């Protein structure tokens, strides 16, 4: 096969730099496959072609980010996630909202699934029919390119979803498979009968037990069974086939050349199947992700990868690179545990479990990667609290998880929350939760609770803004949008309670929040903005600065230190509606010298030898 010679020395240097992350991984993944050599040659060609086609301004950005590899770790890096239609109406209309985002301090926008989905039910856009087209209801690829360019001009980055685990059954590959093309049948997991599926199912975990039970679907046109981890229309890709690696690499580079900065790699944990396991987070998944990362670093090093793996704490870390893959896999991964522990500590008014989980499972610093820290997103909250962690503190994991579901559904006596259950699984007792940040923190539970809800929300924002990572604001949370029950009127959405927390952006409320700072939405908007702006100005909150969990005696308060070279910043959070005290001696022993709060900009007055934390207070002190 003829090789297009890459024009530039820079390309060759980058190819050499990332070679150890690419070719040996492919060898380990596909060494036994007869097509490895042919696929590798095709991949070399594709990479060279994509580099040639890469627009000059993006090549400049590549260079800039090669020179400033910590660009996404800096304290001014703040994310925002929104559906194009629900936020602005369309992709091009987002351009008109960039001032708003800028004002909030946002540097990175995740436009929720926008590639062309199948018609009909499509799992909120995660059932993709064509990765090279934009959902026609939202605009065109030219619109996306233009948005990316506009954002680049303002120093903002664009993130889009790339679903790696499955395509829609309407995708061309699946259609060709249905039409009988053998090469495309090998892009998926297709079984003649259900013998193997039943064997696999012995150890698989159901993702949507209520509305999409099982992990396999009988496809009458084929007369065969297809692996469908999620919904029946989402066909799992067969990543043990090297040609799938090539196809996805091509798509990745196509999107990179359109100006996408962050690829959110969806549902990556499920990409490798092994009989007798949960088929989640198998070692090969990390080899694939490392190799995909290398492809981008060679051709489009400005692009980083966000890996979506919502798993138990120790497992999640592997997506940021552990062991042999340290610093070489994802750049970003969701800190699902921090999110779960925020909700757990708010409900139990205690931070013991939170401290234990954060201190035991998470290192003080990561190599070349960081977390996306968040409170809510478009998905449900699954109570990822392990039995082992709960047992370490002497209680039952199952009981605690059930408590959290009851609490946030609102059925637990005295709960301030109003949420809804998602995918109750009678077989395991597992119940997940839907609801917006505002509704789950109590905005709908009377005026007194609404006031506390504001403080709970701002406590959360201060937490995700200081822990280390890219804080991600989920659309509408900054103006305290409540649950949207109208999803029940839409037959496409009604079966999926996650639509409860996917409201349409309420711009009137945003205006009101601007003009009435004392209203709950005003306090949340202005408070969020203030926190994010303070963060941007504090080099101590760079994500490369280590985070150490501290253990004050008062377990109602979460405390950690950001161990900056200029001295520690002590971040303290009162997770209760009562006043809490932290002795001055303890603060000084942790390195607090000035008794100054960087968050409010005020000096801290001590009372009776202690720092007094008002209900839900948050302090970043030096
Ligand atoms: C991810 C998405 C979720 C979707 C699933 C399947 O977890 O966040 O919304 O249902 O992948 O694509």
């Amino acid at each position: 096969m003829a090789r297009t010679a890459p024009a530039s020395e820079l390309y060759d240097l980058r190819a050499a730099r990332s070679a150890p992350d690419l070719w040996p991984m492919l060898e380990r993944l596909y060494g036994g496959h007869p097509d490895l050599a042919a696929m590798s040659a095709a991949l070399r060609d594709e990479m060279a072609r994509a580099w040639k086609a890469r627009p000059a301004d993006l090549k400049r950005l590549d260079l800039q980010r090669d020179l400033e590899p910590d660009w996404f770790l800096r304290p001014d890096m703040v994310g925002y996630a929104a559906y194009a239609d629900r936020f602005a109406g369309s992709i091009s209309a987002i351009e008109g909202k960039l001032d708003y985002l800028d004002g909030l301090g946002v540097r990175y926008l995740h436009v929720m699934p926008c590639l062309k989905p199948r018609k009909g039910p499509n799992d909120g856009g995660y059932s993709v029919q064509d990765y090279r087209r934009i959902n026609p209801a939202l605009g065109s690829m030219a619109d996306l390119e233009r948005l990316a360019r506009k954002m680049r001009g303002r120093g903002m980055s664009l993130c889009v979803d790339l679903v790696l685990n499955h395509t829609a059954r309407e995708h061309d590959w699946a259609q060709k498979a249905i039409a009988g093309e053998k090469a495309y049948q090998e892009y998926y997991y297709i079984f003649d009968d259900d013998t193997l599926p039943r064997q696999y199912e012995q150890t698989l975990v159901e993702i949507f037990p209520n509305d999409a039970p099982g992990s396999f679907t009988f496809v009458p046109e084929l007369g065969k069974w297809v692996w469908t981890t999620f919904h029946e229309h989402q066909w799992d890709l067969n990543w043990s086939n090297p040609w799938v690696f090539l196809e996805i690499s091509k798509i990745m580079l196509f999107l990179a050349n359109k100006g996408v900065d962050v690829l959110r790699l969806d549902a990556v944990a499920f990409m490798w199947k092994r009989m007798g396991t949960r088929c989640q987070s198998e070692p090969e998944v990390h080899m694939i992700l490392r190799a995909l990362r290398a492809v981008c670093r060679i051709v489009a090093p400005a692009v980083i990868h966000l890996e979506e793996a919502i798993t138990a704490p120790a497992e999640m870390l592997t997506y940021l690179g552990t062991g042999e893959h340290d610093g070489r896999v994802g750049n970003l991964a969701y800190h699902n545990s921090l999110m779960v522990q925020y909700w757990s500590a708010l409900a139990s008014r205690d931070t013991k479990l939170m401290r234990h989980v954060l201190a035991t499972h998470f290192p003080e610093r990561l190599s070349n990667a960081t977390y996306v820290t968040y409170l809510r997103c478009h998905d449900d909250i699954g109570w990822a609290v392990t039995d082992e962690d709960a047992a370490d503190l002497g209680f039952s994991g199952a009981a605690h998880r059930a408590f959290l579901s009851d609490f946030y559904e609102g059925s637990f006596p005295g709960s301030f929350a109003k949420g809804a259950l998602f995918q109750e699984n009678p077989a395991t007792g597992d119940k997940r939760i839907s609801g917006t940040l505002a509704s789950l923190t109590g905005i709908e539970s009377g005026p007194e609770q609404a006031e506390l809800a504001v403080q709970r929300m701002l406590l959360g924002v201060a937490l995700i803004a200081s822990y280390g990572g890219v804080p991600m604001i989920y659309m509408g949370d900054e103006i305290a949008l409540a649950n949207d029950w109208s999803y029940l009127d839409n037959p496409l959405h009604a079966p999926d309670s996650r639509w409860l927390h996917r409201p349409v952006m309420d711009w009137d409320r945003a205006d009101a929040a601007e003009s009435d700072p004392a209203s709950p939405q005003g306090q949340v908007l202005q408070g969020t903005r203030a926190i994010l702006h303070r963060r941007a100005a504090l080099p101590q909150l760079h994500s490369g600065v280590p985070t150490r969990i501290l253990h004050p005696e008062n377990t109602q308060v979460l405390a950690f230190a950001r161990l900056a070279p200029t001295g520690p910043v002590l971040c303290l959070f009162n997770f209760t509606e009562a006043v809490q005290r932290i002795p001055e001696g303890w603060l000084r022993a942790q390195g607090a010298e000035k008794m100054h709060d960087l968050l409010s900009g005020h000096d801290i007055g001590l009372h009776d030898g202690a720092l007094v934390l008002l209900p839900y207070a948050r302090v970043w002190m030096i």
Side-chain angles (χ1 to χ4, degrees):
M1 200 172 295
R3 195 180 140 189
T4 336
S8 126
E9 202 179 347
L10 198 54
Y11 181 89
D12 289 341
L13 287 170
R14 285 186 184 135
R17 172 189 65 186
S18 296
D21 297 322
L22 179 54
W23 310 111
M25 291 304 123
L26 296 182
E27 183 59 42
R28 279 162 71 181
L29 288 161
Y30 306 119
H33 198 287
D35 290 352
L36 175 60
M39 189 286 272
S40 300
L43 179 62
R44 274 181 213 279
D45 276 356
E46 283 302 334
M47 288 196 296
R49 204 193 319 273
W51 160 255
K52 265 195 154 174
R54 190 153 170 82
D57 59 337
L58 295 178
K59 285 189 172 172
R60 189 172 184 281
L61 192 65
D62 289 337
L63 203 51
Q64 195 183 340
R65 289 184 177 164
D66 262 348
L67 293 170
E68 303 178 50
D70 73 331
W71 65 274
F72 65 98
L73 303 176
R74 295 183 182 168
D76 66 345
M77 194 63 176
V78 169
Y80 190 89
Y83 289 93
D85 50 351
R86 297 186 160 239
F87 178 58
S90 67
I91 288 181
S92 57
I94 294 176
E95 288 174 30
K97 304 296 182 196
L98 294 179
D99 282 344
Y100 172 79
L101 294 175
D102 229 353
L104 199 56
V106 170
R107 285 268 140 292
Y108 147 20
L109 174 65
H110 171 196
V111 177
M112 296 292 297
C114 60
L115 303 182
K116 189 181 170 196
R118 75 192 290 268
K119 289 212 180 75
N122 58 34
D123 190 23
Y126 287 99
S127 197
V128 179
Q129 179 175 345
D130 190 340
Y131 291 99
R132 290 187 169 80
R133 282 215 163 112
I134 294 292
N135 180 350
L138 305 177
S140 66
M141 195 49 87
D143 294 342
L144 189 80
E145 266 188 282
R146 209 180 56 182
L147 174 64
R149 204 171 317 119
K150 284 260 160 80
M151 288 176 59
R152 216 159 35 249
R154 291 168 167 253
M156 291 169 112
S157 301
L158 172 66
C159 168
V160 302
D161 288 89
L162 180 56
V163 186
L164 293 192
N165 180 64
H166 43 263
T167 72
R169 57 161 281 158
E170 288 72 14
H171 190 286
D172 200 37
W173 305 331
Q175 289 300 304
K176 286 180 174 154
I178 290 176
E181 285 191 46
K182 181 119 194 340
Y184 287 97
Q185 291 186 347
E186 284 171 7
Y187 277 35
Y188 298 95
Y189 288 97
I190 299 180
F191 303 89
D192 290 340
D193 58 44
D194 68 350
T195 315
L196 283 172
R198 295 298 156 244
Q199 282 175 28
Y200 276 113
E201 270 180 345
Q202 304 283 316
T203 49
L204 291 176
V205 181
E206 287 199 274
I207 309 301
F208 296 138
N210 295 169
D211 53 0
S215 299
F216 299 87
T217 301
F218 182 73
V219 178
E221 298 96 311
L222 277 171
K224 294 183 185 194
W225 291 82
V226 175
W227 198 312
T228 54
T229 298
F230 294 85
H231 296 97
E232 45 78 30
H233 50 80
Q234 289 164 303
W235 286 24
D236 285 38
L237 282 165
N238 174 6
W239 279 89
S240 69
N241 177 353
W243 296 111
V244 168
F245 185 92
L246 179 72
E247 295 277 14
I248 297 289
S249 297
K250 282 158 65 176
I251 291 165
M252 234 171 44
L253 298 177
F254 169 83
L255 293 171
N257 280 358
K258 298 291 173 203
V260 170
D261 300 274
V262 185
L263 288 169
R264 178 189 177 279
L265 307 180
D266 181 76
V268 290
F270 304 87
M271 284 161 62
W272 198 269
K273 324 292 187 192
R274 176 165 284 119
M275 184 64 84
T277 72
R278 290 177 308 139
C279 298
Q280 282 190 50
S281 303
E282 286 297 298
E284 288 81 356
V285 169
H286 303 106
M287 297 179 203
I288 297 171
L289 293 171
R290 179 168 166 184
L292 288 174
R293 181 78 212 108
V295 169
C296 256
R297 285 194 86 204
I298 292 170
V299 181
V303 175
I304 57 171
H305 291 180
L306 161 58
E307 293 177 1
E308 192 252 351
I310 306 303
T311 59
E315 193 175 326
M316 172 262 165
L317 269 179
T318 59
Y319 289 90
L320 292 171
T322 48
E324 60 163 330
H325 303 305
D326 186 55
R328 294 167 177 280
V329 189
N331 307 89
L332 296 170
Y334 291 97
H335 203 321
N336 174 51
S337 285
L338 183 68
M339 182 275 288
V340 165
Q341 293 301 331
Y342 161 77
W343 292 108
S344 164
L346 275 185
S348 52
R349 275 82 167 178
D350 188 272
T351 70
K352 279 197 285 298
L353 181 63
M354 183 176 208
R355 291 177 188 188
H356 176 71
V357 167
L358 294 175
T360 327
H361 299 293
F362 295 92
E364 291 184 352
R365 71 185 306 169
L366 298 159
S367 319
N368 200 20
T370 195
Y371 310 106
V372 166
T373 54
Y374 67 114
L375 303 172
R376 288 299 293 116
C377 70
H378 69 291
D379 280 329
D380 53 289
I381 307 174
W383 302 113
V385 173
T386 66
D387 290 344
E388 293 74 21
D389 283 332
D392 285 345
L393 298 181
F395 56 88
S396 142
H400 188 59
R401 292 189 295 270
F403 158 68
L404 292 173
S405 285
D406 294 347
F407 189 93
Y408 286 107
E409 186 196 11
S411 58
F412 193 85
S415 166
F416 50 72
K418 292 241 183 312
L421 292 182
F422 179 71
Q423 304 294 329
E424 191 173 356
N425 188 339
T428 60
D430 189 33
K431 296 188 265 187
R432 286 132 73 184
I433 284 291
S434 290
T436 68
L437 176 66
S439 294
L440 294 180
T441 51
I443 201 97
E444 295 185 71
S445 303
E448 202 180 307
Q449 280 302 330
E451 262 179 49
L452 291 171
V454 167
Q455 300 310 319
R456 291 181 188 116
M457 287 183 249
L458 292 175
L459 169 108
V461 176
L463 170 71
I464 61 171
S466 56
Y467 178 83
V470 177
M472 179 72 63
I473 307 294
Y474 179 62
M475 188 208 84
D477 286 348
E478 77 279 20
I479 53 165
L481 278 191
N483 289 338
D484 175 12
W485 288 97
S486 73
Y487 83 96
L488 289 170
D489 304 333
N490 179 337
L492 279 185
H493 297 165
D496 186 340
S497 77
R498 291 178 297 175
W499 288 96
L500 182 61
H501 53 254
R502 298 172 181 173
V504 173
M505 182 63 177
D506 184 341
W507 291 104
D508 289 341
R509 191 174 166 91
D511 289 344
E514 228 31 281
S515 55
D516 182 3
S519 63
Q521 63 270 31
Q523 288 182 61
V524 176
L525 180 66
Q526 316 225 8
T528 299
R529 189 186 290 153
I531 292 168
L532 298 176
H533 281 89
R534 286 305 294 155
R535 166 188 149 99
L538 297 174
Q540 298 99 317
L541 299 185
H542 187 289
S543 294
V545 171
T547 303
R548 180 172 300 162
I549 302 298
L550 303 174
H551 297 274
E553 225 168 87
N554 181 337
T555 63
Q556 270 101 51
V557 175
L558 175 76
F560 53 78
R562 299 303 307 277
L563 302 170
T566 49
V569 178
L570 304 186
C571 302
L572 302 165
F573 306 88
N574 174 2
F575 269 85
T576 72
E577 50 271 87
V579 168
Q580 303 295 338
R581 289 184 172 74
I582 303 286
E584 179 185 356
W586 184 88
L587 295 168
R588 292 209 183 270
Q590 311 309 315
E593 280 176 2
K594 300 203 172 115
M595 297 295 151
H596 177 77
D597 178 14
L598 294 171
L599 181 53
S600 65
H602 296 138
D603 286 341
I604 292 171
L606 299 170
H607 297 273
D608 295 333
L611 164 70
V612 175
L613 292 169
L614 295 177
Y616 301 110
R618 49 275 165 188
V619 172
W620 299 344
M621 72 187 289
I622 52 174

